[in-house]
Amino acid sequence: MKKKLTSLAAIAALSAAMLAGCSSAAKLETEAEGAQKPILIQGPMPIEAEKFAERLDKVKVEKSGNFVFYKGKLDKYPVIVAKTGKGMENTAAATAIAIEKYDPAAIINQGTSGGHDPSLNVYDIVLGERTVNIGSLKTVHLEEGEGIEPINWIPMDLMASEGSAGEDPDAEKIRYYEGDENLLAAAKAVKNMHKKGKVVEGTIGSADLWNNEVDRIKWFHENYGTSVEEMEGAAAAQIAGAYDVPFLGIRILSNNKTNGGQYDPNTAAANQDYVYEVVKQYISEIKGK
């Protein structure tokens, strides 16, 4: 009987040790996950953000002002979807708040856009090799009665100096924000996952403008090299750059006035499906390091 009790005690001790080990391993795993910097995915409107958020695990919703942040996991890695609202100001504010609050490892600004390149069609996706503010412009001097000449407006780089951009000749140039190489590589690695159109690298133009004048669209395409236009990306890129956070814009064409491509709201969901694959690829590369 004594021998049997000794054996039972040994088994109990071993079980306790195993449980302690499992608990310790689980704790270490939880701590490791907590130490991971999240990937931030931005979408302006509900149709450009919520479909992605629905695919995350263990989602918690947090709000700051008008901005909504869906915190969750994708492949056990922290991902935050931010519904920024439309426009440059909303996006800049939402980006700064997210960086200060969540310290993201990377930012992807995604959603719909209007085509500037006649070779691109609705459902084609542009990876932002560059993003540019096409609303930052300085007019030439004209006296009263001399009219308006938009085609002669000059680029204005607000980041060129801390002095007056109106007096600094160095500010009369186009400021491009380069897409992060690693994010771009992850996006290119899963190009074949998007079946509804082609995926190309290009220049994303942003401004608080909605251009419906085809000649104006062509002017931006020829002078800025824009592939598409939207109303948020350059603001996010500028703030991400200020904090040195890797950034990439990914935009799908929802319409293209240069070739008659009609607006299709379903493009927003298609873009989120593709960006989901991009994020999975990027996470796999992070975990592989």
Side-chain angles (χ1 to χ4, degrees), residues 39 71 76-78 91 100 107 111 115 130 139 209 213 279:
I39 299 168
K71 298 175 59 183
K76 298 182 179 180
Y77 192 93
T91 303
E100 290 283 356
I107 297 172
R130 305 184 302 179
T139 69
L209 292 168
E213 299 167 331
V279 176

Side-chain angles (χ1 to χ4, degrees), residues 8 26 53 97 101 138 170 179 204 214 238 263 267 272 287:
L8 288 171
I97 289 169
K101 192 172 183 179
K138 182 169 71 173
D170 290 335
I204 298 172
V214 175
Q238 180 177 324
Y263 174 70
T267 51
Q272 288 167 84
K287 288 181 175 179

